[in-house]
Amino acid sequence: MTPDSEKACFKALVALQNRDYATASSYFKMAQNLVAKNADLRILSEATEILLAVKDELRELEMVKES
Amino acid sequence: MSRLETLKKLESTLESFISRAVSAEASRLDTARSLDTLDEIARESLRGRYINNRLARWMSESRKFLDNGRFNGDILSRIGSLFADIQSGLDMADPESRKLHGEIEGWKMAGAVPKRKLVLKAPATAPSSDLLDLYLQYLKNEYEYVANEKERQGHILTILDDVLKSAEAKIDPMYIHLAGSLIYFMKNRGYKVTPFVKRLKDIERLKLGREDDA
């Protein structure tokens, strides 16, 4: 059987392909151990986290702007 | 540039970076997707579920990766291992399953064989120690199986039902042992286990030729 961490990494990449960043982030977290060992995956996982933080910040700024 | 504009620029730069990085992995992603699907089919098969249609579809869709060499050595050996799991559950009395079995043999000829494992043979030990090792191995395999199922299904009754289906469909006697252990555990906690005991006894009779009580 394929280890669950590998399956989670694959699902994270598919989620990124579909631009579903929140789902990708969850799968990367499930595959923590594998991500820590692979530089490419680590960069993608960290870029996803930064992007989600940026999106949160943008949402807040836009809400402030609207009010 | 305002804070909002800076963040929007950062957002678009990161999205573009991620998209390009994932596109660079696209071909690997296709083969990984295919392997993941076969893994799901093997898991379903180990639970005793009917997988013939999905397996036939997988073979027809993935054949191109075999023909154009996209399935490399490592992937092929993993496919070989998954095929071994699947083959053990195919009902050879069924013509459709026999056909799939033949197709799997074709894939094996094309290189889809599990990696050879290095087996270190230890000097013979006393039979009681062998038996204890075997029991410990059962417990270890059963623990891994139940922990994996807990992630997927969460309820002991659902897990027991799947274990009994596997016990019926598979050659591995671990499932019979695990079913017995789960039933005994539940009985001690006041569950009504009679229907499960009956199913297990029927399976034992079929697989082990036993008539005795558990």
Side-chain angles (χ1 to χ4, degrees):
Chain A
M1 297 290 121
T2 308
D4 287 344
S5 55
E6 258 183 60
K7 287 175 84 69
C9 269
F10 160 71
K11 284 180 174 147
L13 291 174
V14 172
L16 286 181
Q17 211 173 27
N18 298 330
R19 302 168 81 91
D20 183 353
Y21 304 108
T23 303
S25 165
S26 312
Y27 280 122
F28 276 135
K29 280 173 191 148
M30 284 164 70
Q32 249 174 333
N33 293 344
L34 198 62
V35 171
K37 287 182 208 155
N38 181 309
D40 291 346
L41 288 175
R42 205 165 57 235
I43 291 169
L44 266 176
S45 161
E46 282 169 12
T48 305
E49 291 309 311
I50 298 169
L51 179 59
L52 285 171
V54 168
K55 281 181 181 293
D56 275 349
E57 188 77 18
L58 272 170
R59 213 170 296 126
E60 275 176 33
L61 278 176
E62 275 164 2
M63 274 166 64
V64 170
K65 203 174 148 192
E66 277 170 22
S67 62
Chain B
M1 202 185 272
S2 72
R3 182 174 167 73
L4 191 67
E5 285 168 332
T6 309
L7 284 170
K8 280 197 168 161
K9 175 108 178 88
L10 182 56
E11 180 189 39
S12 116
T13 306
L14 282 166
E15 283 187 343
S16 159
F17 165 74
I18 290 172
S19 163
R20 274 182 286 134
V22 174
S23 295
E25 295 286 315
S27 86
R28 228 162 48 127
L29 213 55
D30 280 346
T31 50
R33 182 180 283 119
S34 176
L35 193 63
D36 186 62
T37 306
L38 186 63
D39 184 77
E40 291 297 327
I41 293 171
R43 284 172 196 252
E44 292 288 295
S45 162
L46 287 174
R47 286 195 200 102
R49 297 204 173 119
Y50 180 79
I51 46 93
N52 288 13
N53 292 343
R54 287 186 70 194
L55 180 60
R57 199 177 321 124
W58 182 90
M59 283 179 161
S60 129
E61 286 170 1
S62 303
R63 183 80 210 181
K64 59 180 184 286
F65 296 133
L66 184 67
D67 294 339
N68 65 19
R70 292 259 298 276
F71 281 152
N72 62 23
D74 181 51
I75 293 179
L76 274 176
S77 69
R78 290 172 68 177
I79 289 172
S81 301
L82 293 170
F83 275 161
D85 288 336
I86 292 169
Q87 267 184 319
S88 72
L90 286 176
D91 175 9
M92 295 306 282
D94 168 40
E96 202 180 284
S97 298
R98 275 204 305 274
K99 187 171 171 242
L100 286 169
H101 193 277
E103 285 184 36
I104 288 177
E105 291 302 314
W107 277 71
K108 282 184 179 170
M109 299 282 282
V113 284
K115 262 187 194 150
R116 279 165 189 261
K117 285 179 186 161
L118 181 65
V119 179
L120 298 174
K121 288 190 177 171
T125 48
S128 62
S129 165
D130 283 350
L131 204 58
L132 190 57
D133 286 345
L134 182 65
Y135 181 64
L136 288 172
Q137 190 59 48
Y138 264 51
L139 291 182
K140 182 175 172 286
N141 293 347
E142 288 170 9
Y143 172 82
E144 284 168 3
Y145 178 89
V146 175
N148 189 33
E149 287 303 297
K150 181 175 174 273
E151 293 290 311
R152 298 171 154 267
Q153 328 210 42
H155 198 282
I156 195 165
L157 278 174
T158 321
I159 295 173
L160 174 58
D161 182 53
D162 274 350
V163 170
L164 283 166
K165 282 179 187 159
S166 295
E168 200 170 4
K170 309 289 162 190
I171 295 163
D172 189 345
M174 179 200 85
Y175 295 102
I176 292 178
H177 183 261
L178 177 57
S181 165
L182 284 169
I183 290 171
Y184 188 65
F185 176 81
M186 289 170 67
K187 184 187 170 200
N188 283 342
R189 272 151 190 81
Y191 280 83
K192 191 183 171 198
V193 294
T194 317
F196 296 113
V197 173
K198 185 180 177 311
R199 275 174 72 187
L200 180 60
K201 280 185 177 173
D202 287 345
I203 294 165
E204 272 193 313
R205 219 167 283 133
L206 191 74
K207 297 272 169 180
L208 310 172
R210 253 184 222 163
E211 292 293 334
D212 54 335
D213 288 341

